[in-house]
Every structure is written in structure tokens, then in C-alpha cells.
Amino acid sequence: AQSVTQLDSQVPVFEEAPVELRCNYSSSVSVYLFWYVQYPNQGLQLLLKYLSGSTLVKGINGFEAEFNKSQTSFHLRKPSVHISDTAEYFCAVSDWGTSYGKLTFGQGTILTVHP
Amino acid sequence: DAGVIQSPRHEVTEMGQEVTLRCKPISGHNSLFWYRQTMMRGLELLIYFNNNVPIDDSGMPEDRFSAKMPNASFSTLKIQPSEPRDSAVYFCASRGGPLRTEAFFGQGTRLTVV
């Protein structure tokens, strides 16, 4: 079984400040890791993904995340946020095996960017 | 590609009525997932299909919920009879392609049962 823990339910930050959204996962097998973003009244959109290889992955809108196997973490970062980054962010995991790509999600982190 | 298409976007119904939510996955994708999102429980996987066959429906909350995928381009999630606690946003997602990694989500159906 897999699980995902997002350590912060809400993160307020000022515009142009850096931000880190934290995610830890638990799995007995190798996994793929994802960050999705959800804007109000919309579906989930993929920000970035880690499959294998380089542990630093870059995504859309200037976001990046670092996979740390020893700490089972996949934290999301952005060096300078914009008002338009205000949204809810979800970390997710799927295994490499026979689950057909089933995604297990964390509880979400609401990022609010203040002017 | 139009992406995953869900209908209706909003549904308001009275308790006890039957509700049917619809999903058209991305062409060529062979896995389809139904999720439910609520404030209290977050995103929950209800059921998923691979090549139109239900693989795991352990997330379906009760026998009032049922899902079908009669062909590769269409799936339904039915609630009968509906109850106020079923009010939520229901998402459909599909996955496929050569790497079969991320899932693509529809815009969701916001269901309100009064």
C-alpha cells in the first residue's frame, strides 16, 4: 500500500517570495511521483513528474521538485511566486507494477500568494 | 486533443433520485479512473478500469454506486438513490500512451444532492 503526506494544509506567502510545499510518501516498491495543481472550479493539471534519473525535475510555470529517496520526500519549490500561483497543490504517487497507474494523492496544500 | 470530457459540469438533484455522470477519456488511453473530491476526505479513488474491464472497485462507498465502461471511449458513474452526503466533485481521469505515467483529468462534475 502507498500513502502520501503533505505536511502543510495551507501556505501563505507574499508575491515574489520563494516557496516550498512539502510532500513525503510511503511505498514498499519503486514509484513514480507527481505534483498536480488545481485552480478554483477546475480539474487537476500536471505540474511535473519524477520517473527516474535526475532527482531534480523541472515543470511548468517555473516550478521544480527534488526527489530524495532516503528521506522519501518530493518537495515542490518555486524561487519567486506570482499572484496567479494561488491554487491548491497535490502530491501523488503511483507504483511501477500492476496498479495500472492508479494515483494515490495527498490531502493537498492551499498556496495563497498575497500582493 | 480535447482532453478528458465530463458531463454534466454541474448537477443538482433531489435526494432519492438517480444520477448519472459521464466521461469520455482521451482517445488511445486504456486506463480510466473515477475520483471523488470533498473537503473532508480529499481526493478518493472510487474505481478504475483497464481496457474497459473494472480492476478495483474497493473505493466505491456503497452499493448505491455503480460504474460501467461499455467501450473504450465512454464511461458512466451512477448513483441510485442519491443522498445529500454524495454531494461532491467527481473527476474522471485517463492514462495511456507509451510511458503510461501521468493521468489526465477532466474538469469534474459538481454534484449537489438536496
Side-chain angles (χ1 to χ4, degrees):
Chain A
Q2 301 161 333
S3 66
V4 178
T5 302
Q6 291 184 239
L7 299 165
D8 306 292
S9 59
Q10 298 192 47
V11 173
V13 64
F14 287 107
E15 194 173 19
E16 297 183 7
V19 70
E20 178 180 80
L21 306 184
R22 297 179 293 167
C23 172
N24 287 95
Y25 70 94
S26 172
S27 177
S28 58
V29 299
S30 296
V31 296
Y32 297 143
L33 293 158
F34 307 86
W35 277 98
Y36 282 82
V37 60
Q38 184 180 31
Y39 299 103
N41 299 315
Q42 294 191 25
L44 279 73
Q45 177 185 359
L46 182 69
L47 267 182
L48 48 79
K49 61 187 177 185
Y50 172 77
L51 307 180
S52 64
S54 173
T55 57
L56 183 65
V57 292
K58 295 187 183 296
I60 62 172
N61 301 340
F63 284 92
E64 63 182 31
E66 185 156 20
F67 170 58
N68 188 318
K69 187 174 182 179
S70 62
Q71 297 186 4
T72 60
S73 67
F74 190 53
H75 301 332
L76 180 71
R77 302 185 183 101
K78 186 170 182 178
S80 176
V81 295
H82 303 288
I83 297 287
S84 59
D85 293 323
T86 295
E88 189 162 15
Y89 293 79
F90 292 91
C91 182
V93 61
S94 74
D95 68 35
W96 291 3
T98 59
S99 67
Y100 303 99
K102 174 180 76 170
L103 288 169
T104 300
F105 285 91
Q107 286 293 94
T109 298
I110 297 173
L111 174 64
T112 304
V113 181
H114 299 284
Chain B
D1 195 329
V4 176
I5 299 173
Q6 292 186 247
S7 64
R9 288 294 311 276
H10 302 273
E11 177 80 35
V12 180
T13 191
E14 292 185 347
M15 183 175 62
Q17 296 297 306
E18 176 182 303
V19 176
T20 299
L21 311 182
R22 297 173 175 78
C23 175
K24 177 178 169 56
I26 293 173
S27 177
H29 282 192
N30 57 357
S31 295
L32 184 139
F33 308 85
W34 282 101
Y35 286 87
R36 177 171 70 174
Q37 185 179 33
T38 60
M39 290 289 291
M40 292 298 294
R41 301 174 69 89
L43 277 160
E44 303 174 275
L45 178 64
L46 301 178
I47 185 172
Y48 66 99
F49 296 83
N50 190 64
N51 292 329
N52 312 336
V53 176
I55 303 299
D56 184 353
D57 65 354
S58 60
M60 298 284 259
E62 300 172 35
D63 291 345
R64 298 184 296 106
F65 286 70
S66 62
K68 294 182 179 179
M69 192 165 186
N71 56 62
S73 58
F74 184 65
S75 177
T76 59
L77 178 68
K78 183 181 293 186
I79 308 172
Q80 179 184 23
S82 57
E83 296 183 3
R85 59 194 169 122
D86 302 330
S87 297
V89 181
Y90 291 81
F91 287 104
C92 175
S94 70
R95 180 177 182 262
L99 291 180
R100 294 184 47 171
T101 54
E102 71 267 28
F104 294 83
F105 282 75
Q107 295 285 72
T109 296
R110 182 175 296 275
L111 173 65
T112 304
V113 183
V114 298

